[in-house]
Amino acid sequence: MKIKKCLFPVAGYGTRFLPATKAIPKEMLPIVTKPLIQYGVEEAIKAGIKDMAFVTGRNKRAIEDHFDINYELEDKISDTDKRSLLEGTSQIIKECSFVYKRQIEMLGLGHAILVSQPLIGNEPFAVILPDDLCLGSDLGVIGQMKKLYDEYQCSIVAIEEVPREHAYRYGVIAGKEESKGIFRISDMVEKPSAEAAPSNLAIIGRYVLTPDIFSILEETPSGKNGELQITDALLAQAKKGRVIGYRFEGQRFDCGSIDGFMGATNFVYSEQH
Ligand code: UTP
């Protein structure tokens, strides 16, 4: 089965960016002039995906409005040079479908993915966490992973080498490198200490998931921080040899952190000027 849908779990509170995220979704913060969520959707489009699914929450209405027409504004700028500034966004709206479901209680990323089941159905799907901004590759990270899925037909997580003292921020994998940059995962630990981390390979915000993940998530107890962790559910698949870790091409910026956000802003700005 081909991957046709991309899920964006965007219900989190974005507490690291307060006060900016008090009334505005983190995903609407701009890197130069484009909100983070649009970069994520553009990456999915680059991968040939047109069906976008969002798990949202309270205070996230601006995301739905962004992927909709704003008649008054568009009429106002229709005969001016500024029209070109909206062309990219208008094209996305024309090309893609957007569906939304609310996560009523924010019980973790695994829970957000479980909530998305009615939007996804019984097929493999891509997941993009838009605060991990990935740039600098023609296919995009999800495009690279979609290609890999055609070959491996199992769940795939994007991984990156991180300093061990940063392991506590990520899910960290153990596995055997089967070919260059492709690991068969045997273990994964959510947010371990530097000493407990099984490697320096951390999972970043790009996944391809097979639909059995939903029934596994239903059975998975809450983990670290009382949240339902996607890492715990993926571990059940990994124990059967059904998860690949993929060291992607391109550059990732953790825009959920201030340093990453500034790095992405400087990178995009210097590309444009
Ligand atoms: P984060 O761990 O980055 O949390 O979530 P957050 O709430 O967005 O940000 P901070 O840490 O408070 O600053 C990783 C991804 O999972 C989504 C988030 O929206 C983000 O895309 N998420 C997390 C949900 O959709 N629901 C949840 O219950 C938790």
Short mmCIF file of all heavy atoms in Angstrom, two decimals, residues 9-17 26-27 55 60 103 105-109 111-112 128-131 191 227 256, ligand 1:
data_model
loop_
_atom_site.label_atom_id
_atom_site.label_comp_id
_atom_site.label_asym_id
_atom_site.label_seq_id
_atom_site.Cartn_x
_atom_site.Cartn_y
_atom_site.Cartn_z
N PRO A 9 0.47 16.09 14.20
CA PRO A 9 -0.06 16.21 15.58
C PRO A 9 0.38 17.58 16.12
O PRO A 9 1.56 17.81 16.35
CB PRO A 9 0.64 15.07 16.34
CG PRO A 9 1.41 14.29 15.30
CD PRO A 9 1.64 15.21 14.17
N VAL A 10 -0.58 18.47 16.28
CA VAL A 10 -0.23 19.85 16.64
C VAL A 10 -1.03 20.34 17.84
O VAL A 10 -1.34 21.54 17.95
CB VAL A 10 -0.43 20.81 15.44
CG1 VAL A 10 0.60 20.53 14.35
CG2 VAL A 10 -1.84 20.71 14.86
N ALA A 11 -1.39 19.42 18.73
CA ALA A 11 -2.24 19.82 19.86
C ALA A 11 -1.44 20.29 21.08
O ALA A 11 -2.02 20.82 22.03
CB ALA A 11 -3.15 18.65 20.25
N GLY A 12 -0.12 20.11 21.05
CA GLY A 12 0.70 20.43 22.25
C GLY A 12 0.62 21.90 22.64
O GLY A 12 0.26 22.75 21.82
N TYR A 13 0.98 22.17 23.88
CA TYR A 13 0.83 23.54 24.41
C TYR A 13 1.96 24.48 23.98
O TYR A 13 1.81 25.69 24.03
CB TYR A 13 0.80 23.49 25.95
CG TYR A 13 -0.42 22.82 26.50
CD1 TYR A 13 -0.33 21.62 27.19
CD2 TYR A 13 -1.68 23.40 26.35
CE1 TYR A 13 -1.45 20.99 27.71
CE2 TYR A 13 -2.82 22.78 26.86
CZ TYR A 13 -2.69 21.57 27.55
OH TYR A 13 -3.79 20.96 28.05
N GLY A 14 3.11 23.95 23.61
CA GLY A 14 4.22 24.82 23.21
C GLY A 14 4.72 25.69 24.35
O GLY A 14 5.04 26.87 24.18
N THR A 15 4.85 25.08 25.53
CA THR A 15 5.18 25.88 26.73
C THR A 15 6.57 26.52 26.67
O THR A 15 6.81 27.53 27.32
CB THR A 15 5.11 25.00 27.99
OG1 THR A 15 5.89 23.81 27.75
CG2 THR A 15 3.69 24.60 28.31
N ARG A 16 7.47 25.91 25.86
CA ARG A 16 8.83 26.48 25.81
C ARG A 16 8.84 27.83 25.10
O ARG A 16 9.81 28.55 25.17
CB ARG A 16 9.79 25.51 25.10
CG ARG A 16 10.22 24.35 25.97
CD ARG A 16 10.96 23.31 25.18
NE ARG A 16 10.07 22.62 24.24
CZ ARG A 16 10.49 21.82 23.27
NH1 ARG A 16 11.77 21.61 23.11
NH2 ARG A 16 9.62 21.22 22.46
N PHE A 17 7.75 28.15 24.42
CA PHE A 17 7.72 29.42 23.69
C PHE A 17 6.76 30.43 24.29
O PHE A 17 6.33 31.36 23.60
CB PHE A 17 7.44 29.18 22.21
CG PHE A 17 8.69 29.25 21.39
CD1 PHE A 17 9.45 28.12 21.17
CD2 PHE A 17 9.14 30.47 20.90
CE1 PHE A 17 10.63 28.19 20.45
CE2 PHE A 17 10.31 30.55 20.18
CZ PHE A 17 11.07 29.41 19.95
N LYS A 26 2.03 27.31 18.46
CA LYS A 26 3.47 27.27 18.18
C LYS A 26 3.72 27.10 16.68
O LYS A 26 4.64 27.68 16.11
CB LYS A 26 4.06 26.09 18.96
CG LYS A 26 5.48 25.75 18.65
CD LYS A 26 6.06 24.79 19.67
CE LYS A 26 5.68 23.35 19.45
NZ LYS A 26 6.44 22.40 20.28
N GLU A 27 2.87 26.30 16.04
CA GLU A 27 3.06 25.98 14.62
C GLU A 27 2.80 27.18 13.71
O GLU A 27 3.08 27.13 12.53
CB GLU A 27 2.11 24.83 14.22
CG GLU A 27 2.36 23.53 14.96
CD GLU A 27 1.85 23.51 16.41
OE1 GLU A 27 1.01 24.38 16.77
OE2 GLU A 27 2.28 22.64 17.18
N VAL A 55 -4.22 16.72 14.06
CA VAL A 55 -4.81 16.59 15.40
C VAL A 55 -4.53 17.90 16.11
O VAL A 55 -3.37 18.26 16.35
CB VAL A 55 -4.23 15.39 16.17
CG1 VAL A 55 -4.70 15.39 17.62
CG2 VAL A 55 -4.65 14.09 15.50
N LYS A 60 -6.05 26.40 18.60
CA LYS A 60 -5.30 26.08 17.37
C LYS A 60 -6.09 26.46 16.11
O LYS A 60 -5.74 26.05 15.01
CB LYS A 60 -4.97 24.57 17.35
CG LYS A 60 -4.09 24.13 18.52
CD LYS A 60 -2.64 24.46 18.31
CE LYS A 60 -1.81 24.04 19.50
NZ LYS A 60 -0.38 24.01 19.23
N GLN A 103 -7.88 16.82 19.84
CA GLN A 103 -7.47 16.00 20.98
C GLN A 103 -8.01 16.77 22.19
O GLN A 103 -7.60 17.90 22.43
CB GLN A 103 -5.94 15.91 21.02
CG GLN A 103 -5.39 14.96 22.06
CD GLN A 103 -3.85 15.00 22.11
OE1 GLN A 103 -3.21 15.92 21.59
NE2 GLN A 103 -3.26 14.01 22.75
N GLU A 105 -7.94 15.98 25.55
CA GLU A 105 -6.95 16.05 26.64
C GLU A 105 -5.58 15.78 26.04
O GLU A 105 -5.43 14.80 25.29
CB GLU A 105 -7.22 14.96 27.67
CG GLU A 105 -8.41 15.21 28.55
CD GLU A 105 -8.57 14.04 29.52
OE1 GLU A 105 -9.00 12.97 29.07
OE2 GLU A 105 -8.22 14.21 30.71
N MET A 106 -4.60 16.62 26.39
CA MET A 106 -3.27 16.46 25.78
C MET A 106 -2.50 15.40 26.58
O MET A 106 -1.79 15.72 27.53
CB MET A 106 -2.50 17.77 25.77
CG MET A 106 -3.18 18.95 25.10
SD MET A 106 -4.57 18.63 24.04
CE MET A 106 -5.30 20.25 24.00
N LEU A 107 -2.67 14.15 26.17
CA LEU A 107 -2.09 13.03 26.92
C LEU A 107 -0.84 12.48 26.26
O LEU A 107 -0.45 11.34 26.51
CB LEU A 107 -3.15 11.94 27.11
CG LEU A 107 -4.41 12.37 27.87
CD1 LEU A 107 -5.42 11.22 27.94
CD2 LEU A 107 -4.07 12.84 29.28
N GLY A 108 -0.22 13.27 25.38
CA GLY A 108 1.04 12.85 24.78
C GLY A 108 0.94 12.61 23.28
O GLY A 108 -0.15 12.48 22.73
N LEU A 109 2.13 12.53 22.64
CA LEU A 109 2.18 12.34 21.18
C LEU A 109 1.54 11.02 20.77
O LEU A 109 0.80 10.97 19.78
CB LEU A 109 3.65 12.41 20.72
CG LEU A 109 3.91 12.11 19.26
CD1 LEU A 109 3.15 13.06 18.34
CD2 LEU A 109 5.41 12.18 18.96
N HIS A 111 -0.85 9.46 22.23
CA HIS A 111 -2.30 9.66 22.34
C HIS A 111 -2.83 10.47 21.16
O HIS A 111 -3.88 10.15 20.59
CB HIS A 111 -2.62 10.33 23.69
CG HIS A 111 -4.08 10.52 23.92
ND1 HIS A 111 -4.68 11.75 23.78
CD2 HIS A 111 -5.06 9.65 24.25
CE1 HIS A 111 -5.97 11.62 24.03
NE2 HIS A 111 -6.23 10.36 24.32
N ALA A 112 -2.09 11.52 20.78
CA ALA A 112 -2.51 12.35 19.64
C ALA A 112 -2.60 11.49 18.38
O ALA A 112 -3.53 11.63 17.58
CB ALA A 112 -1.54 13.51 19.43
N ILE A 128 4.51 14.20 10.47
CA ILE A 128 5.46 15.31 10.56
C ILE A 128 5.16 16.11 11.82
O ILE A 128 4.02 16.54 12.03
CB ILE A 128 5.35 16.24 9.32
CG1 ILE A 128 5.89 15.52 8.08
CG2 ILE A 128 6.10 17.56 9.54
CD1 ILE A 128 5.87 16.35 6.79
N LEU A 129 6.17 16.30 12.67
CA LEU A 129 6.05 17.23 13.79
C LEU A 129 6.65 18.55 13.29
O LEU A 129 7.87 18.65 13.11
CB LEU A 129 6.81 16.73 15.03
CG LEU A 129 6.47 15.31 15.51
CD1 LEU A 129 7.19 15.02 16.83
CD2 LEU A 129 4.98 15.11 15.66
N PRO A 130 5.79 19.53 13.05
CA PRO A 130 6.27 20.71 12.32
C PRO A 130 7.30 21.55 13.07
O PRO A 130 7.99 22.35 12.44
CB PRO A 130 5.00 21.54 12.07
CG PRO A 130 3.88 20.81 12.69
CD PRO A 130 4.36 19.58 13.35
N ASP A 131 7.42 21.34 14.38
CA ASP A 131 8.45 22.14 15.06
C ASP A 131 9.85 21.61 14.79
O ASP A 131 10.83 22.30 15.05
CB ASP A 131 8.17 22.32 16.57
CG ASP A 131 7.89 21.02 17.27
OD1 ASP A 131 7.79 19.98 16.59
OD2 ASP A 131 7.76 21.04 18.50
N LYS A 191 13.54 9.55 26.25
CA LYS A 191 14.20 10.56 27.09
C LYS A 191 15.13 9.97 28.17
O LYS A 191 14.95 10.21 29.36
CB LYS A 191 13.15 11.47 27.73
CG LYS A 191 12.30 12.22 26.70
CD LYS A 191 11.42 13.28 27.31
CE LYS A 191 10.80 14.18 26.27
NZ LYS A 191 9.91 13.60 25.30
N GLU A 227 2.53 10.36 30.02
CA GLU A 227 1.99 10.54 28.68
C GLU A 227 2.04 9.21 27.90
O GLU A 227 2.89 8.36 28.18
CB GLU A 227 2.82 11.57 27.91
CG GLU A 227 2.72 12.97 28.50
CD GLU A 227 3.42 14.02 27.64
OE1 GLU A 227 4.34 13.65 26.89
OE2 GLU A 227 3.02 15.19 27.73
N GLY A 256 11.17 24.00 18.30
CA GLY A 256 10.50 24.05 19.60
C GLY A 256 11.43 24.62 20.67
O GLY A 256 11.01 24.90 21.78
P1 UTP B 1 6.40 18.54 22.32
O1 UTP B 1 7.06 17.56 23.20
O2 UTP B 1 7.26 19.42 21.48
O3 UTP B 1 5.43 19.40 23.21
O4 UTP B 1 5.40 17.73 21.40
P2 UTP B 1 4.75 20.79 22.92
O5 UTP B 1 3.56 20.92 23.80
O6 UTP B 1 4.48 20.98 21.46
O7 UTP B 1 5.88 21.87 23.32
P3 UTP B 1 6.52 22.24 24.76
O8 UTP B 1 7.47 21.12 25.09
O9 UTP B 1 5.42 22.41 25.76
O10 UTP B 1 7.23 23.54 24.48
C1 UTP B 1 5.82 17.06 20.23
C2 UTP B 1 4.71 17.11 19.20
O11 UTP B 1 3.59 16.38 19.67
C3 UTP B 1 2.41 17.17 19.66
C4 UTP B 1 2.92 18.60 19.73
O12 UTP B 1 1.96 19.50 19.19
C5 UTP B 1 4.21 18.53 18.92
O13 UTP B 1 3.93 18.62 17.52
N1 UTP B 1 1.57 16.78 20.82
C6 UTP B 1 2.16 16.58 22.03
C7 UTP B 1 0.21 16.60 20.65
O14 UTP B 1 -0.34 16.80 19.54
N2 UTP B 1 -0.53 16.22 21.74
C8 UTP B 1 0.02 16.00 22.96
O15 UTP B 1 -0.72 15.65 23.90
C9 UTP B 1 1.40 16.19 23.11
#
